[in-house]
């Protein structure tokens, strides 16, 4: 599966929640990504985001860096 857009946010103490958006199909898929450990990094598919059409030409994450949750990662 290929995504034209990815949006990430912190999940728990060491994970990241990713939303992958397929603009051709106008669908979004959620993934939980564990702490980066190379090829053994856990990527768990949560599945299709139901009842939402992702038809916007642009997606982004909005936040104030000092007030927003810091991302987990390397």
């Amino acid at each position: 599966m290929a995504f034209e857009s990815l949006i990430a946010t912190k999940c728990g103490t060491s994970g990241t929640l990713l939303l992958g958006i397929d603009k051709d199909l106008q669908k979004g898929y959620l993934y939980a990504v564990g702490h980066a450990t190379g090829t053994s990094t856990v990527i768990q598919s949560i599945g299709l985001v139901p009842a939402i059409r992702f038809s916007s030409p642009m997606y982004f994450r909005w936040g104030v860096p000092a007030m927003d949750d810091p991302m987990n990662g390397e």
Side-chain angles (χ1 to χ4, degrees):
M1 186 166 300
F3 301 114
E4 289 82 18
S5 295
L6 288 174
I7 299 173
T9 191
K10 180 179 177 178
C11 181
T13 58
S14 63
T16 301
L17 185 64
L18 284 178
L19 172 64
I21 299 172
D22 183 331
K23 291 185 179 181
D24 296 329
L25 299 176
Q26 297 183 348
K27 294 184 178 182
Y29 297 86
L30 282 177
Y31 296 89
V33 181
H35 180 73
T37 56
T39 57
S40 64
T41 300
V42 175
I43 302 174
Q44 178 183 358
S45 175
I46 297 172
L48 177 69
V49 177
I52 297 176
R53 286 186 60 196
F54 291 90
S55 56
S56 177
M58 185 183 312
Y59 295 93
F60 56 92
R61 180 175 186 244
W62 185 299
V64 178
M67 298 174 71
D68 206 8
D69 57 329
M71 298 293 288
N72 293 318
E74 283 35 74

